[in-house]
């Protein structure tokens, strides 16, 4: 998927993302971020901390030009090194789930 296709895909699915709710009791932001990383790791994404001790999640397949970067309690979608959308943890999870479906 090319960068403009990914951005179009993401923007077109914002409504779906907004409808996604994490199940279970309300968690602190740290717990929600840990859930994002755990689910990403379990579903085959590469997860590691950068120099600023922030999580970075990206697809394992080479040639993919996007990643999610932890930004405090939110997740920033970066395409071709250009910031695009700031997700809540539930939105980041929904984005990854949709990515896996394509």
């Amino acid at each position: 998927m090319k960068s403009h296709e990914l951005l179009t895909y993401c923007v077109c699915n914002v409504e779906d993302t907004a409808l996604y709710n994490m199940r279970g009791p309300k968690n602190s932001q740290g717990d929600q971020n840990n859930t994002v990383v755990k689910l990403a790791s379990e579903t085959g994404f590469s997860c590691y901390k950068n120099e600023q001790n922030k999580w970075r999640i990206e697809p394992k397949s080479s040639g993919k030009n996007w990643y999610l970067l932890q930004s405090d309690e939110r997740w920033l979608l970066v395409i071709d090194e250009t910031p695009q959308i700031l997700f809540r943890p539930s939105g980041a999870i929904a984005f990854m789930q949709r990515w896996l479906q394509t």
Side-chain angles (χ1 to χ4, degrees), residues 23-60:
R23 303 285 187 246
K26 294 277 185 187
N27 296 327
S28 71
Q29 290 299 331
D31 289 344
Q32 289 181 13
N33 283 334
N34 289 338
T35 300
V36 172
V37 173
K38 181 179 179 217
L39 289 172
S41 179
E42 289 173 352
T43 53
F45 290 92
S46 295
C47 306
Y48 60 92
K49 287 195 173 185
N50 65 12
E51 302 83 32
Q52 291 82 30
N53 204 31
K54 300 288 186 181
W55 282 104
R56 179 173 164 148
I57 299 171
E58 57 191 34
K60 283 188 178 176

Side-chain angles (χ1 to χ4, degrees), residues 45-99:
F45 290 92
S46 295
C47 306
Y48 60 92
K49 287 195 173 185
N50 65 12
E51 302 83 32
Q52 291 82 30
N53 204 31
K54 300 288 186 181
W55 282 104
R56 179 173 164 148
I57 299 171
E58 57 191 34
K60 283 188 178 176
S61 40
S62 61
K64 303 303 178 197
N65 56 347
W66 68 267
Y67 58 90
L68 290 168
L69 183 63
Q70 180 189 3
S71 177
D72 297 319
E73 72 275 358
R74 306 241 177 169
W75 290 87
L76 180 63
L77 173 64
V78 180
I79 302 173
D80 289 331
E81 297 304 320
T82 304
Q84 302 291 330
I85 297 173
L86 197 57
F87 288 118
R88 288 188 173 94
S90 59
I93 291 169
F95 176 80
M96 289 184 292
Q97 288 174 334
R98 292 292 231 154
W99 173 262

